[in-house]
Amino acid sequence: MSAKVAPKNELKPKGLMGISDQQVEYHFETHYKGYVTKINEVWEKLETVDRTKANQNSSDYRALKVEESFNYMGVVLHELYFENIKDGRNTAPSEKLTALITRDFGSFDRWKEDFRACGIALRGWAVLVYDLTSGRIISNGLDAHNMYGLLNTVPLLVLDVYEHAYYADQGPKRPPYIDAFFENVNWDVVNKRLEAAIKARP
Ligand code: FE
């Protein structure tokens, strides 16, 4: 397989509220592009790795499959994250999304409190997902790109809470970065993801 990916430069945000261009520069150019480089390397190695030596305790094939999930999810989650904070000023959750938030969390403010807590309590990501099984929306927290992701769900809103996403601006203080994130959410993007998710539900 040689499904190479290229960085999506068009997703790089500028002029965010409370998240500086320098912070975005480190995050986008070093971290996001690092995953793009690595997943291409992993896929190249997977083309020729010895499959006859595959072993669940330790094997080159197993290591590459673990690294594939880490680096590919690193690419995908960063693209969803940057897309959902770019050009977000003057956007709002759709009526449909507001109705789901109210139904499943009680109110918009209670959802925000939950998503904020999720961003503080987990180590890598907070992801608002649409569950194709139940039709509910849930805050899915991830300690790493390839851990605890809920199956059969569709990500609606993605928040990167690794230190590299805010340290240049905030040092060790994560909560003010999360507050700044909310100021930048592009609800038009989130609303479109919700429409696509609902259509995907059997
Ligand atoms: Fe990141």
Side-chain angles (χ1 to χ4, degrees):
M1 185 177 80
S2 56
K4 306 282 188 202
V5 290
K8 292 185 177 154
N9 287 311
E10 68 275 18
L11 295 179
K12 189 174 177 179
K14 260 208 174 352
L16 295 175
M17 277 180 72
I19 304 172
S20 67
D21 287 346
Q22 180 63 67
Q23 173 63 65
V24 170
E25 186 71 14
Y26 291 141
H27 196 176
F28 196 94
E29 295 300 325
T30 304
H31 294 273
Y32 162 58
K33 289 190 178 175
Y35 294 114
V36 172
T37 302
K38 278 294 164 193
I39 189 57
N40 284 323
E41 284 176 26
V42 168
W43 278 334
E44 200 168 317
K45 287 179 187 164
L46 272 168
E47 284 178 24
T48 55
V49 68
D50 188 350
R51 283 157 170 79
T52 67
K53 295 204 170 66
N55 176 287
Q56 65 182 293
N57 290 9
S58 174
S59 59
D60 290 347
Y61 184 81
R62 180 188 154 76
L64 286 168
K65 291 308 282 183
V66 172
E67 286 163 18
E68 179 186 47
S69 71
F70 186 77
N71 287 286
Y72 189 52
M73 285 305 97
V75 171
V76 169
L77 285 164
H78 277 101
E79 290 179 354
L80 291 168
Y81 164 75
F82 287 121
E83 182 190 37
N84 70 213
I85 52 170
K86 188 172 189 281
D87 305 326
R89 221 69 61 79
N90 303 318
T91 65
S94 63
E95 267 178 41
K96 191 173 283 176
L97 181 54
T98 304
L100 284 182
I101 284 174
T102 307
R103 185 195 68 187
D104 294 343
F105 290 90
S107 69
F108 187 81
D109 284 347
R110 285 191 62 183
W111 164 75
K112 208 170 152 183
E113 189 186 13
D114 182 73
F115 196 73
R116 195 173 184 276
C118 190
I120 291 170
L122 278 293
R123 295 175 189 151
W125 300 92
V127 181
L128 179 65
V129 300
Y130 179 74
D131 177 15
L132 297 177
T133 303
S134 68
R136 288 171 58 224
I137 51 172
I138 308 172
S139 304
N140 183 190
L142 309 180
D143 276 347
H145 314 327
N146 55 351
M147 277 177 79
Y148 317 148
L150 298 177
L151 297 176
N152 212 29
T153 64
V154 176
L156 303 177
L157 177 65
V158 175
L159 164 60
D160 191 336
V161 292
Y162 279 104
E163 280 86 352
H164 67 236
Y166 59 87
Y167 232 80
D169 285 345
Q170 304 290 356
K173 295 191 298 291
R174 192 187 288 184
Y177 157 69
I178 296 177
D179 294 336
F181 169 86
F182 281 123
E183 295 294 320
N184 295 291
V185 169
N186 189 327
W187 289 104
D188 291 346
V189 167
V190 180
N191 297 337
K192 271 188 208 139
R193 288 177 187 163
L194 176 66
E195 291 300 326
I198 289 172
K199 279 196 198 109
R201 191 168 176 230

